[in-house]
Amino acid sequence: MSECKSCSRLQELANLNELELIEEQLSLEFDLVSEVVKEKRLNVCLSCPFLKGQTCSKCGCYALFRTSLANKKCPINKWD
């Protein structure tokens, strides 16, 4: 059975709001990694069993946010 259209739309809006908030916070940060490094880190996260939705269940961070910051490490040492 498929999900109702209203529920799907509400989830889409929630995801967009999260992304906007992450982008806003990242605009205030000074020590960001390059897009190449961020993409490599995100690809590792996407294959990780601890990623639940957009959140790392080991550290509680949004993967998009944590992978963008130069001073952050993977909580289970999967990033190079």
Side-chain angles (χ1 to χ4, degrees):
M1 187 162 153
S2 65
E3 190 174 308
C4 77
K5 290 182 182 182
S6 294
C7 294
S8 295
R9 185 64 184 142
L10 287 174
Q11 186 58 50
E12 287 175 22
L13 290 173
N15 289 342
L16 285 175
N17 191 36
E18 288 174 358
L19 291 175
E20 289 174 3
L21 292 172
I22 290 169
E23 289 177 15
E24 181 181 331
Q25 184 60 43
L26 285 173
S27 73
L28 302 173
E29 299 292 333
F30 295 101
D31 199 13
L32 300 175
V33 296
S34 69
E35 284 295 314
V36 171
V37 171
K38 180 176 80 173
E39 289 300 318
K40 285 181 182 178
R41 289 177 170 188
L42 276 172
N43 284 331
V44 170
C45 292
L46 289 174
S47 66
C48 182
F50 296 109
L51 187 67
K52 305 297 179 201
Q54 296 181 39
T55 305
C56 173
S57 63
K58 281 292 187 180
C59 68
C61 289
Y62 283 105
L64 182 59
F65 186 73
R66 189 174 189 92
T67 58
S68 299
L69 299 173
N71 65 336
K72 296 293 184 184
K73 305 287 183 220
C74 170
I76 56 172
N77 299 315
K78 285 192 166 191
W79 300 339
D80 292 331

